[in-house]
Amino acid sequence: MASSIYFCDTKGKTILSRRYRDDVPASAIERFPALLLEAEHESSIIPPCLTHNDVQYLFVQHNDIYVLTMSRSLSVNVAQIFSFLYKLIAVLEEYVKTVEEESIRDNFVIIYELLDEMLDYGIPQITETKMLKQYITQKSFKLIKSAKKSKNVVRPPSQLTKSVSWRPEGIVYKKNEAFLDVVESINMLISANGQVLRSEILGKVRVKSHLSGMPDLKLGLNDKGIFSSDNSADKPGESTGKRANIELEDLKFHQCVRLSKFENEKIITFIPPDGDFELMNYRLSLPIKPLIWCDAKIQVHSQSRIEIHCRAKAQIKKKSTANSVEILIPVPEDADSPKFRYSHGSLKYVPEKNAILWKIKSFTGGKEYSFAAQLGLPSMSDVDVPKVKRPIQVKFQIPYFTTSGIQVRYLKVHEPKLQYQSYPWVRYITESGDDYTIRTA
């Protein structure tokens, strides 16, 4: 996969490197600073892949360093390479806190050890931080205390020689519990007249395992049709309700899931790591209606003041409640002296964002609230009426609810040796994503 790994400074000069293959000459890295300089002259945004003399330079920028790998193969899995580079940075952050040029220079030994364990001949091997910390510590360069007695030789942990490398043996809890969260983030672009232009659901299933021994878990989600390509979606605009089949796109599992069992029988079985981890994530493209809708009318009076009338409605079931709702309404950059009239929530003028922030702590389904605001504008005569082109941004969180209709039918826990009673807990959360916006007229 990767011929080598390089850590470079902001100018592209090498700080630390580790070579795994000889298909790319060592001198190829000397060309990287010049390639960076050429890319900066051509565009303000440097692409993550540069090519020179049939060598692909694949890199990510983090703080004041570049993490780089090179390859000659055109059939290389680019997504896998970038996934590993980001994982490498995440692992280093667990060891050195902040990954930057100074911390790289101060931790050569530990970084070389990590690179040797995480890659073998350029192929990713061990990327779980919990496992790496079992045998690589800040003092791990002292692997042998004494060469005279074999009992003083520090041996690799048992996890390295077992198939379940992500979980050590001997874990004991007084109360055996498993907590499972199904979290769905909604990204949506809505026009000023309420038409949904783009919508998607980004879901993830998070697990917190407080279980003794080596438990074997079986997770049931809705029915087997949830993973089939036979998708019988509801009517457009329907955001809730039962769906016979849900087609999950970009489905990804944690390495603990038995993929062969899932591929053959569509059953999710796994031995969980200890503590928190993300079991799976998925994406759904469904025609859904806005869960929180907002309409803002802006009027300019005599070009000296601006008046805003805004109403918001919770378009969810009446038994559901949206919590921590925040609606950010943009205003002209030169507006000032705000005055508000409202009956619910709280309003605040945020001049650094040129916006009004409307907070509603609890928004029950079917309810509708409104406010009016008046702001001053500089005296203008022959100047065009100011227009606000930035969209309205909405944030919210709805507990006990999933937009896709995905449900956990069961979570069975079986520990063959200890045979204890377990207590699984399941929670559902729907929240706004990073891109839930409504265009203004």
Side-chain angles (χ1 to χ4, degrees):
M1 184 192 94
S3 297
S4 53
I5 295 290
Y6 289 87
F7 291 86
C8 303
D9 60 17
T10 52
K11 295 182 179 180
K13 294 182 179 179
T14 304
I15 306 170
L16 179 151
S17 66
R18 177 71 169 87
R19 289 176 57 81
Y20 300 95
R21 303 181 184 180
D22 296 326
D23 57 331
V24 177
S27 58
I29 190 62
E30 298 174 3
R31 181 62 185 170
F32 184 58
L35 292 175
L36 280 179
L37 194 60
E38 292 174 6
E40 288 177 357
H41 286 314
E42 293 177 2
S43 173
S44 58
I45 301 176
I46 301 177
C49 178
L50 301 173
T51 303
H52 179 72
N53 288 345
D54 297 328
V55 176
Q56 284 77 44
Y57 297 77
L58 307 170
F59 59 92
V60 297
Q61 186 175 10
H62 183 79
N63 292 333
D64 59 350
I65 64 169
Y66 291 98
V67 185
L68 165 78
T69 184
M70 294 183 291
S71 176
R72 277 194 179 277
S73 175
L74 294 176
S75 61
V76 68
N77 190 330
V78 176
Q80 185 185 36
I81 286 180
F82 282 111
S83 178
F84 175 79
L85 293 179
Y86 281 111
K87 184 64 178 178
L88 173 60
I89 293 172
V91 169
L92 290 178
E93 285 178 337
E94 293 290 330
Y95 281 87
V96 302
K97 303 302 180 185
T98 303
V99 181
E100 56 187 21
E101 182 177 349
E102 184 178 356
S103 62
I104 294 296
R105 294 186 184 278
D106 290 342
N107 293 277
F108 274 4
V109 174
I110 192 68
I111 294 174
Y112 275 124
E113 290 187 2
L114 287 170
L115 290 175
D116 286 342
E117 298 298 337
M118 295 180 70
L119 284 174
D120 183 13
Y121 195 61
I123 300 173
Q125 298 297 313
I126 305 171
T127 58
E128 279 292 321
T129 308
K130 290 182 180 179
M131 180 182 173
L132 290 167
K133 282 192 172 183
Q134 295 268 340
Y135 58 98
I136 295 183
T137 67
Q138 290 293 341
K139 297 181 181 180
S140 58
F141 58 91
K142 297 180 180 179
L143 292 179
I144 301 177
K145 296 181 180 179
S146 175
K148 295 181 180 179
K149 297 182 180 181
S150 60
K151 66 178 182 180
N152 289 329
V153 178
V154 179
R155 301 181 183 278
S158 58
Q159 284 81 357
L160 291 179
T161 58
K162 295 184 177 180
S163 59
V164 187
S165 60
W166 53 86
R167 183 182 179 92
E169 292 184 346
I171 297 175
V172 177
Y173 286 97
K174 290 183 178 180
K175 189 176 183 181
N176 293 284
E177 297 178 308
F179 302 87
L180 190 146
D181 288 344
V182 180
V183 182
E184 291 188 344
S185 300
I186 310 299
N187 287 324
M188 186 175 292
L189 176 62
I190 311 164
S191 67
N193 59 9
Q195 181 183 1
V196 177
L197 304 177
R198 184 184 70 248
S199 65
E200 69 172 358
I201 302 171
L202 301 178
K204 55 187 174 183
V205 178
R206 298 192 303 229
V207 178
K208 179 186 286 186
S209 171
H210 289 172
L211 299 171
S212 305
M214 281 286 180
D216 203 323
L217 276 64
K218 181 184 291 186
L219 175 64
L221 296 175
N222 289 28
D223 54 24
K224 293 184 179 180
I226 193 170
F227 302 111
S228 70
S229 58
D230 181 17
N231 186 17
S232 57
D234 288 12
K235 296 179 180 179
E238 188 69 28
S239 63
T240 59
K242 297 181 179 178
R243 293 178 172 85
N245 294 319
I246 305 171
E247 184 180 358
L248 303 183
E249 306 169 26
D250 299 335
L251 184 61
K252 298 178 182 177
F253 288 109
H254 188 275
Q255 64 172 325
C256 67
V257 176
R258 299 183 182 93
L259 294 181
S260 58
K261 186 83 170 176
F262 173 75
E263 291 173 357
N264 296 328
E265 304 178 32
K266 303 303 178 186
I267 298 176
I268 302 175
T269 60
F270 58 99
I271 296 176
D274 187 41
D276 298 319
F277 70 100
E278 188 172 294
L279 178 67
M280 58 178 281
N281 59 65
Y282 57 89
R283 183 174 65 87
L284 276 168
S285 297
L286 291 177
I288 57 177
K289 66 181 181 182
L291 303 181
I292 303 295
W293 161 245
C294 181
D295 181 27
K297 303 294 184 184
I298 301 176
Q299 294 179 313
V300 178
H301 299 279
S302 304
Q303 297 184 349
S304 61
R305 63 186 177 91
I306 185 172
E307 192 170 351
I308 300 174
H309 293 271
C310 183
R311 62 186 180 93
K313 184 176 181 180
Q315 300 184 143
I316 54 180
K317 291 183 178 180
K318 292 183 178 180
K319 63 181 181 180
S320 298
T321 301
N323 298 325
S324 304
V325 178
E326 294 186 4
I327 303 174
L328 197 66
I329 301 101
V331 299
E333 295 181 359
D334 51 358
D336 58 15
S337 306
K339 297 179 181 179
F340 303 121
R341 299 194 312 272
Y342 60 97
S343 60
H344 199 86
S346 64
L347 284 170
K348 179 182 178 182
Y349 176 52
V350 188
E352 62 271 18
K353 295 184 178 180
N354 298 309
I356 295 172
L357 179 59
W358 187 12
K359 291 185 176 182
I360 304 174
K361 186 176 181 180
S362 180
F363 206 164
T364 306
K367 293 287 186 179
E368 183 175 325
Y369 303 117
S370 61
F371 79 84
Q374 181 176 289
L375 298 94
L377 292 172
S379 179
M380 297 179 294
S381 56
D382 299 329
V383 183
D384 293 337
V385 175
K387 293 183 180 180
V388 179
K389 296 183 179 181
R390 292 173 290 127
I392 298 170
Q393 299 178 353
V394 182
K395 295 181 179 180
F396 57 85
Q397 189 176 85
I398 308 172
Y400 318 114
F401 173 83
T402 57
T403 308
S404 66
I406 188 173
Q407 290 184 349
V408 176
R409 291 179 57 231
Y410 59 82
L411 179 61
K412 297 179 181 179
V413 180
H414 174 63
E415 214 296 330
K417 292 183 179 180
L418 302 178
Q419 295 289 337
Y420 52 73
Q421 291 289 329
S422 62
Y423 304 93
W425 302 86
V426 180
R427 182 173 60 171
Y428 302 95
I429 302 172
T430 291
E431 60 187 14
S432 56
D434 297 330
D435 189 22
Y436 191 106
T437 54
I438 304 170
R439 289 179 176 173
T440 54

